[in-house]
Amino acid sequence: MTRSTTRRREAARALLVTADPDLLDDLLRLGSAAGVELEVAHDLPAARPRYGPAPVVLIGGDLADGCLRARLPRRPGVVVVCRDAADPRPWDLAQPLGAEHVALLPAAETWLVERLAGIGRGPAPGAGRVVAVLGGRGGAGASVLAAGLAVTACRVPLRTLLIDADPLGGGADLLLGWEELRGLRWPQLARASGPVDPAALVDALPRRGDLVVLSCARDIPDEETPVAPSLPADAMAVALDAGRRGRDLVVVDLPRRLDEAAAVVLQDADRVLLVVPAELRAAAAAARVADVALAYRRELSLVVREPAPGRLSAAELARAVGLPLAGTLRPEPRLAAALERGEAPGSAARGPLATLCGRLIREVLP
């Protein structure tokens, strides 16, 4: 049994945080009606380990103020649930908690059942698909594969958004040779206040043809301390929503150090590809990365990058990591030189990278 299979049931559980026995009974009944298993946490210490990975978090009005004092990270998919319409606290605490809704029972029972039943469903027909790419170790080639997927998709042609989610990377715009193009980048989006219109966001990004890119910046403003940066989870949720609404395909280049924004992507993506070189130590590192990533989603699949110095086959490596094999990226000697010249990965219609990317795109967007 693969590692992704053993984690499937746990990743699909919604988290319920309440110490109110009556509210607990109501929500367990609604979860059963939705066909969803609820993992119950009666206090904040029990809730914290599952707060990020759970696809949906239901916070009882009795513990909403405790969740706020505990400074739990802001994330999408939080619903405050209460039974007493006269109690103003849940309504007052919903915005500071980052909750999307306040559900008042019994009036909201039908809505809540539908919300829970949506866990595990695919996106609505016609919505853009999301593919995320994660490196099994440093230098695995995840950014090149992500950019290759985006460039190849535009030849189909598909309207594509490439999201650079690695603040410590070199920048997706540089990888594509787009560093001189004007347009919105992560620092501007992260500082935005108030609602962001999805169509306006896509229109503001650097663009060539059907490809638009949301890239990290390489410079640090003078007033900021150069500490390890991270992207805001709420801004990432906005970017994914814009891509789902306005693009056929969204490709996200994830960092190996998974932050809250990366967790949002892992929970939302239709497919996540873990890239690992065909080396023994790389397989060991990838297994650890997979352990962390599988806490946030049901499955991962592996892309093995050759050559294999020790003649470790792709199938052997997949068994060692414990993930299904999505494909093998064979050596492409001219690719490194092309990247140095500013040529985007996958810009050549032929070759191992373009061939693999074309097949992966057909699988996620048949």
Side-chain angles (χ1 to χ4, degrees):
M1 182 177 292
T2 65
R3 212 169 292 206
S4 60
T5 303
T6 59
R7 303 271 181 115
R8 187 180 302 271
R9 174 170 292 186
E10 179 181 344
R13 293 176 180 168
L15 176 64
L16 169 58
V17 187
T18 183
D20 182 338
D22 294 330
L23 184 60
L24 174 62
D25 288 344
D26 284 342
L27 291 174
L28 289 177
R29 172 176 54 82
L30 297 178
S32 177
V36 172
E37 186 175 356
L38 299 182
E39 181 173 355
V40 180
H42 297 289
D43 53 35
L44 275 301
R48 190 177 292 275
R50 283 287 295 156
Y51 192 82
V56 172
V57 177
L58 306 178
I59 299 178
D62 59 309
L63 291 183
D65 52 351
C67 289
L68 184 61
R69 289 195 303 270
R71 297 183 180 274
L72 294 173
R74 293 176 69 92
R75 50 150 292 168
V78 175
V79 179
V80 177
V81 187
C82 52
R83 302 171 73 248
D84 185 1
D87 186 356
R89 289 178 302 165
W91 303 89
D92 295 338
L93 296 172
Q95 183 173 359
L97 280 170
E100 296 176 353
H101 301 279
V102 175
L104 181 62
L105 302 183
E109 286 191 358
T110 301
W111 176 87
L112 195 53
V113 168
E114 179 61 25
R115 180 68 179 87
L116 291 172
I119 297 174
R121 289 179 186 165
R129 301 302 197 260
V130 177
V131 177
V133 185
L134 177 63
R137 70 155 169 80
S143 296
V144 172
L145 179 60
L149 285 167
V151 172
T152 303
C154 290
R155 278 201 302 271
V156 171
L158 297 171
R159 299 169 303 156
T160 306
L161 166 62
L162 174 61
I163 298 179
D164 175 9
D166 187 359
L168 294 178
D173 55 354
L174 184 61
L175 182 59
L176 293 171
W178 290 21
E179 63 270 25
E180 300 300 326
L181 288 187
R182 298 176 63 86
L184 186 78
R185 286 169 170 78
W186 267 115
Q188 292 78 39
L189 177 59
R191 289 195 292 266
S193 59
V196 177
D197 179 70
L201 171 59
V202 171
D203 288 343
L205 297 174
R207 171 192 304 265
R208 279 182 179 165
D210 284 328
L211 178 59
V212 293
V213 176
L214 177 56
S215 179
C216 293
R218 287 171 297 283
D219 58 329
I220 299 175
D222 294 337
E223 67 273 12
E224 293 187 9
T225 304
V227 296
S230 61
L231 302 177
D234 52 352
M236 178 61 75
V238 168
L240 290 174
D241 179 60
R244 289 274 196 197
R245 291 169 181 262
R247 305 274 94 185
D248 301 310
L249 179 67
V250 181
V251 182
V252 187
D253 180 15
L254 289 173
R256 289 178 63 241
R257 187 182 181 92
L258 298 175
D259 54 17
E260 293 176 19
V264 170
V265 177
L266 289 170
Q267 291 164 7
D268 188 61
D270 298 292
R271 192 172 194 187
V272 177
L273 303 169
L274 181 65
V275 184
V276 57
E279 303 167 6
L280 184 60
R281 289 189 63 201
R288 300 188 66 180
V289 174
D291 276 338
V292 178
L294 284 169
Y296 295 96
R297 64 176 292 105
R298 299 180 182 184
E299 71 281 323
L300 302 172
S301 51
L302 202 68
V303 172
V304 176
R305 180 171 64 83
E306 296 180 341
R311 298 187 178 181
L312 183 66
S313 73
E316 290 170 333
L317 196 142
R319 286 195 296 270
V321 179
L323 295 177
L325 182 63
T328 303
L329 182 56
R330 304 194 183 283
E332 192 166 349
R334 298 180 180 179
L335 179 60
L339 295 177
E340 289 298 312
R341 293 193 300 267
E343 298 178 17
S347 55
R350 297 180 180 180
L353 178 62
T355 300
L356 175 63
C357 289
R359 180 173 64 77
L360 293 173
I361 291 167
R362 288 192 297 272
E363 289 176 358
V364 76
L365 276 166

